[in-house]
C-alpha cells in the first residue's frame, strides 16, 4: 500500500515532566481533525490529569507501507503470578529464548529495568541466548511507533475481543504493538507487563506462538513493569531492527484469530509441531 494519503498522529501527555500516557494513529488527511480531538480527549481522560499534551502530526510521505496480519490471541488460565511467569518462560523457550534469558528479563521488569531502578521509557533488547542487554540506552530503551489498525481490521478484531470479554482498549493497542514487534527483523519474541499498578495483565508474543495473554503477570499495586524484546544471537543487525521498530510505518490490515481461554499445558502441546516462520 502507498502511504500518500496517510498521516501519523502521535500524542504524549505528561505531568511534572513525567510521562503519563501516549497513543498514536495513522489516518487519511480528512480524519486529522477528528483524530486530534480523539487523542486529546484520551489524554485528558487519565486519572492523573496531564499538565502538558504534545501532539505530532506528520505526513509520512509516499513510502510503501508494510501491511500485516495481527497475531492470533489466546489467554492462558493460570492460578497465580508464579505459575503465570513459569508458563510464560516455557512458552518463550519454544521460540528459542533460553530460560536464563527469560528469567533475567522478568527479574529486571519486576525490580525496575532502568539504571535508576525505575521503569524505562521504552523496551529492553535482550539476546535470547546470552541474556545480555543490547539497547543503546538502558533508561530510554527502544520504542515501537508508527503503527495502527486499518478500519476493517480494527472493527473485526474488536468484535472478536468483545466476544471474549476483552473490552479494555489496552488489549487492542498492545496486540497492535506486539504484531509490529513480532515482525521485526531479528526479534524472536517479546515479554510485557504494564507499570500501571491497576493493570496486572501481561503477555508474551512471537510469530511462532502468537499473542499469549495472562490475566496477571504481576501482583496488583506493583508499579514496576516494561517490555523485553528478545533478539536472535546470530547475525542480529541492531540498527536495522531499531529503524524498523521506531521509523517504519506498519498498518495491520487483517485480523488474526482471538481464541477462548485455554489451559497452559494444552496450549504448550499445540506448539510442539510448529516451526519458526521466516520473515
Ligand atoms: N514513557 C516515558 N516517556 C516517553 C514515552 C514513554 N512510553 N514515550 C515518549 N516519551 C517521552 C520521552 O521523554 C521521549 O524522549 P526520549 O526519546 O528521549 O525517550 C519523548 O517523549 C519523545 O518521544 P517520541 O517517541 O519521539 O514521541 P512521539 O510523540 O513521536 O511518540 C508515543 C510518542 C507515546 C505515541 C510513542 O512513543 C509510542 O509509544 N507509541 C505507541 C503507543 C501505543 O500504542 N502503545 C501501546 C501500549 S499498550
Ligand atoms: P504500558 O503498556 O503503556 O503500560 O507500558 C509498559 C512499559 O512498556 C513502559 O513502562 C515502557 O517501558 C514500555 N513501553 C511503553 N511504550 C512503548 C513502546 N511504544 N515501545 C516499546 N516499549 C514501550
Amino acid at each position: 500500500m502507498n502511504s500518500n494519503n496517510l498521516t501519523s498522529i502521535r500524542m504524549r501527555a505528561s505531568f511534572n515532566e513525567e510521562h503519563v500516557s501516549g497513543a498514536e494513529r495513522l489516518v487519511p488527511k480528512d480524519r486529522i481533525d477528528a483524530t486530534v480531538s480523539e487523542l486529546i480527549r484520551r489524554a485528558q481522560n487519565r486519572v492523573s490529569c496531564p499538565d502538558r499534551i504534545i501532539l505530532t502530526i506528520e505526513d509520512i510521505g509516499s513510502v510503501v507501507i508494510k501491511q500485516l496480519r495481527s497475531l492470533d490471541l489466546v489467554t492462558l488460565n493460570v492460578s497465580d503470578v508464579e505459575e503465570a511467569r513459569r508458563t510464560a518462560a516455557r512458552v518463550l523457550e519454544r521460540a528459542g529464548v533460553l530460560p536464563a534469558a527469560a528469567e533475567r528479563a522478568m527479574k529486571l521488569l519486576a525490580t525496575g529495568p532502568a539504571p535508576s531502578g525505575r521503569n524505562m521509557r521504552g523496551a529492553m533488547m535482550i539476546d535470547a541466548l546470552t541474556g545480555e542487554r543490547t539497547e543503546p540506552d538502558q533508561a530510554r530503551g527502544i520504542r515501537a511507533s508508527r503503527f495502527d489498525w486499518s478500519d476493517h481490521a480494527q472493527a473485526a478484531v474488536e468484535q472478536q475481543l468483545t466476544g471474549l470479554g476483552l473490552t479494555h482498549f489496552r488489549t487492542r493497542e498492545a496486540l497492535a504493538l506486539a504484531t509490529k514487534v513480532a515482525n521485526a527483523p531479528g526479534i524472536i519474541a517479546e515479554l510485557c507487563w504494564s507499570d500501571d499498578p491497576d493493570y496486572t495483565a501481561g503477555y508474551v508474543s512471537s510469530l511462532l506462538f502468537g499473542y499469549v495473554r495472562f490475566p496477571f503477570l504481576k501482583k496488583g499495586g506493583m508499579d514496576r513493569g516494561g517490555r523485553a524484546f528478545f533478539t536472535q544471537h546470530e547475525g542480529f543487525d541492531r540498527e536495522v531492527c531499531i529503524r524498523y521498530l521506531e521509523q517504519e510505518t506498519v498498518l495491520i490490515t487483517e485480523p488474526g484469530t482471538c481464541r477462548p481461554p485455554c489451559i497452559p499445558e494444552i496450549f504448550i502441546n499445540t506448539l510442539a509441531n510448529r516451526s519458526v516462520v521466516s520473515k
Side-chain angles (χ1 to χ4, degrees):
M1 178 193 261
N2 198 290
S3 68
N4 272 329
N5 55 353
L6 286 185
T7 302
S8 164
I9 308 187
R10 305 189 294 278
M11 176 280 290
R12 57 192 163 97
S14 57
F15 182 75
N16 272 346
E17 310 285 319
E18 285 281 320
H19 179 84
V20 287
S21 73
E24 62 179 88
R25 303 293 316 274
L26 287 169
V27 294
K29 295 202 182 340
D30 62 359
R31 296 227 317 252
I32 293 176
D33 285 4
T35 307
V36 164
S37 304
E38 173 199 315
L39 290 176
I40 292 175
R41 264 200 311 280
R42 168 82 175 266
Q44 289 172 328
N45 259 343
R46 297 286 300 192
V47 184
S48 45
C49 212
D51 58 16
R52 179 179 292 169
I53 299 170
I54 297 179
L55 274 153
T56 303
I57 303 170
E58 188 178 50
D59 187 333
I60 51 179
S62 49
V63 292
V64 173
I65 292 186
K66 195 177 172 80
Q67 297 184 52
L68 297 175
R69 175 185 194 268
S70 68
L71 297 174
D72 293 343
L73 173 146
V74 69
T75 300
L76 296 189
N77 282 329
V78 284
S79 51
D80 54 36
V81 172
E82 286 68 35
E83 190 195 351
R85 290 189 188 171
R86 257 196 328 271
T87 306
R90 288 178 66 200
V91 175
L92 285 168
E93 193 176 4
R94 294 290 166 130
V97 179
L98 289 198
E103 195 187 327
R104 173 145 198 256
M106 290 190 197
K107 266 201 184 122
L108 284 161
L109 292 192
T111 52
S116 60
R118 301 180 66 203
N119 298 312
M120 293 170 67
R121 308 198 295 282
M124 293 186 279
M125 197 164 239
I126 296 189
D127 184 302
L129 239 56
T130 64
E132 184 197 350
R133 282 175 75 170
T134 59
E135 70 275 14
D137 177 340
Q138 294 195 349
R140 179 186 188 275
I142 315 295
R143 267 198 309 276
S145 186
R146 293 171 175 79
F147 58 87
D148 199 359
W149 299 92
S150 69
D151 289 344
H152 157 75
Q154 173 153 327
V157 85
E158 250 173 15
Q159 193 182 13
Q160 292 193 63
L161 291 173
T162 304
L164 294 170
L166 299 172
T167 51
H168 202 299
F169 63 83
R170 272 175 188 274
T171 311
R172 175 173 40 83
E173 292 183 354
L175 178 58
L177 188 149
T179 297
K180 178 168 187 186
V181 172
N183 283 278
I187 291 191
I188 60 173
E190 179 187 351
L191 161 73
C192 168
W193 68 77
S194 174
D195 50 49
D196 180 340
D198 298 326
Y199 195 77
T200 59
Y203 64 85
V204 289
S205 56
S206 80
L207 283 188
L208 180 81
F209 53 73
Y211 182 101
V212 178
R213 213 184 140 262
F214 297 87
F216 31 79
L217 263 179
K218 69 169 189 184
K219 293 206 166 80
M222 306 302 287
D223 64 359
R224 291 289 180 268
R227 288 185 156 84
F229 299 160
F230 294 100
T231 59
Q232 66 189 43
H233 181 70
E234 293 296 334
F236 176 59
D237 189 330
R238 189 182 73 169
E239 306 323 314
V240 166
C241 180
I242 294 176
R243 194 178 331 116
Y244 163 83
L245 290 169
E246 298 197 339
Q247 305 297 336
E248 289 178 27
T249 307
V250 160
L251 197 61
I252 302 169
T253 49
E254 198 191 333
T257 305
C258 303
R259 299 201 165 80
C262 182
I263 294 164
E265 218 48 52
I266 293 178
F267 177 75
I268 290 171
N269 286 340
T270 65
L271 300 178
N273 299 323
R274 286 194 211 173
S275 55
V276 181
V277 188
S278 62
K279 295 179 189 173

